[in-house]
Amino acid sequence: MKVVLKGVHKVKRRLASGETKTHHYAWRGGPRIEAEPDTPEFIAEFQRLTADRDRPTHHDGTFQFIINAYQRSPAFKDLAEATRSGYVRRIRKVEKEFGDLPIKVLDDPRIRGEALDWRDRIAVTAGTREADYCLTVMARIVSWAHDRRTIRENHLARPGRLHKGSRVDIIWSDTEVEAFLAVAEPHVALPFLIALSTAQRETDILRLTWKAYDGEVIRLRQSKGGKWLTVPLTVDLRAVLDAAKAKRTGPVICVNSRGKPWTLDGYKTSFGKAKAAAKIENRTFHDTRGTAVVNLALSGCTVPEICSITGHSPTDANSILSKHYLGPDRRLAESAIGKLETWQKGKAEA
């Protein structure tokens, strides 16, 4: 006989075998009922678990409680704005899938399999990069809780990655840059032009004020790492900035069509629309950082010179640039061969 008990919370979960199973809890966030549904044992266990139940604070006893606590912590609040925004979008996905999970379940080794299966399902619809990002955020929250001994074990440590690629190998071609600038409105193009010349990050560019620009250089403190930089600007970029300064509507350099400072999401949306209008795919704003590095290298800049612009540390520069930015670009190889041929020609004529 089917019995309906008020307050029983049902959660469907996909097991590692692919089978879908429904778990029953005495209430949302409450203890799991182990007995088979629709049996006298199930009713008896439900009544025992709820007999002396004190109504908990909202979300007490669930993973959602930990998620909320993490978002109130300095570990989350001290993240760079762009990173924090990205985390929030993935946290919403974690909440939807695991938010009502009782905290004690996080100490069960099987949670690792369920989390990996969840990541695999995301990869099918949203790609491996997004899947890795979602699991990374969940693992970060679990690690934070483990450090505070809210949970005894961290079963999501070092889950590995599905995505094998790296965006640092992807750069904007001259043709793509021209196509983008041909359709982008000036207020959308300006941050893009600054990025191509200075290799700075989107968040740092959008928050630049006119006090940072003295007509020759831009002085800024990078949000990632906190390094102060003085970045000289090209003649072309100075001309663009001087023209924008003549029409300034406030203290911030990059503003939207209403003359107000861009929000990160607002600029991302407008940038995406311009990119779509230019029929450009598989390129992001962040790819301008690698593009600027390659262009600096092609122009003959040394590694220390490049680092003075990008903010990389000199000790890390060679490994970072050779491994990620410089190796895949054909133009660098062509430039190297051109220099070799010039040297060989000079040697033969000597």
Side-chain angles (χ1 to χ4, degrees), residues 14-323:
R14 187 181 296 275
L15 305 180
S17 63
E19 175 190 0
T20 299
K21 186 173 182 179
T22 301
H23 298 310
H24 296 77
Y25 299 89
W27 60 85
R28 180 184 290 272
R32 181 174 165 181
I33 303 174
E34 302 294 343
E36 285 295 318
D38 303 323
T39 64
E41 292 76 15
F42 184 91
I43 298 173
E45 187 174 357
F46 172 78
Q47 291 174 338
R48 177 178 59 80
L49 292 171
T50 58
D52 299 318
R53 176 191 172 195
D54 293 323
R55 185 171 298 277
T57 304
H58 190 50
H59 298 312
D60 275 6
T62 69
F63 188 30
Q64 185 67 56
F65 179 83
I66 292 176
I67 294 172
N68 293 346
Y70 170 72
Q71 291 179 92
R72 294 191 299 268
S73 72
F76 176 76
K77 291 182 177 180
D78 290 346
L79 294 172
E81 180 184 353
T83 303
R84 193 166 59 248
S85 178
Y87 266 43
V88 168
R89 290 195 292 274
R90 279 73 192 190
I91 284 174
R92 297 296 170 260
K93 295 182 180 182
V94 175
E95 290 174 332
K96 183 177 180 181
E97 184 71 18
F98 298 104
D100 57 4
L101 198 70
I103 290 177
K104 65 179 183 179
V105 175
L106 296 173
D107 284 318
D108 188 327
R110 290 173 293 183
I111 188 61
R112 185 179 181 90
E114 292 196 21
L116 292 174
D117 288 343
W118 173 63
R119 180 188 65 179
D120 293 346
R121 294 196 298 274
I122 294 174
V124 173
T125 57
T128 55
R129 182 184 296 275
E130 175 64 16
D132 285 340
Y133 199 166
C134 289
L135 185 58
T136 295
V137 170
M138 180 179 177
R140 178 68 189 91
I141 297 172
V142 169
S143 175
W144 178 86
H146 177 250
D147 286 345
R148 285 151 184 78
R149 297 303 183 260
T150 306
I151 58 175
R152 293 191 302 273
E153 302 292 338
N154 180 4
H155 294 299
L156 296 190
R158 297 184 294 278
R161 292 183 177 274
L162 295 176
H163 188 72
K164 304 302 181 183
S166 173
R167 292 212 65 84
V168 292
D169 291 340
I170 300 175
I171 66 171
W172 286 73
S173 68
D174 292 342
T175 301
E176 289 168 335
V177 170
E178 292 173 2
F180 179 85
L181 294 177
V183 300
E185 295 291 333
H187 57 280
V188 178
L190 181 57
F192 181 72
L193 288 171
I194 295 174
L196 285 175
S197 291
T198 67
Q200 299 308 308
R201 297 177 178 85
E202 189 174 21
T203 302
D204 293 337
I205 291 173
L206 294 181
R207 70 178 187 177
L208 282 172
T209 65
W210 287 112
K211 288 184 178 180
Y213 173 57
D214 67 359
E216 299 288 335
V217 304
I218 282 178
R219 294 180 177 84
L220 76 154
R221 186 180 185 183
Q222 294 183 316
S223 57
K224 186 173 182 179
K227 180 176 293 187
W228 282 97
L229 293 176
T230 299
V231 184
L233 306 181
T234 64
V235 173
D236 290 342
L237 182 56
R238 294 203 304 268
V240 172
L241 286 174
D242 290 341
K245 189 173 185 179
K247 302 176 182 179
R248 59 182 293 185
T249 58
V252 178
I253 294 176
C254 297
V255 295
N256 58 26
S257 58
R258 300 185 303 278
K260 303 296 183 181
W262 284 106
T263 63
L264 184 60
D265 287 341
Y267 183 73
K268 284 182 179 295
T269 299
S270 295
F271 179 80
K273 289 179 179 178
K275 193 173 63 170
K279 295 181 170 53
I280 297 172
E281 299 179 352
N282 196 33
R283 295 290 182 272
T284 69
F285 189 95
H286 190 70
D287 295 332
T288 58
R289 186 161 164 82
T291 305
V293 170
V294 169
N295 289 339
L296 287 167
L298 283 168
S299 68
C301 293
T302 65
V303 168
E305 287 172 337
I306 292 173
C307 291
S308 71
I309 300 296
T310 66
H312 288 106
S313 65
T315 55
D316 293 339
N318 277 306
S319 59
I320 293 174
L321 297 177
S322 63
K323 180 180 179 181

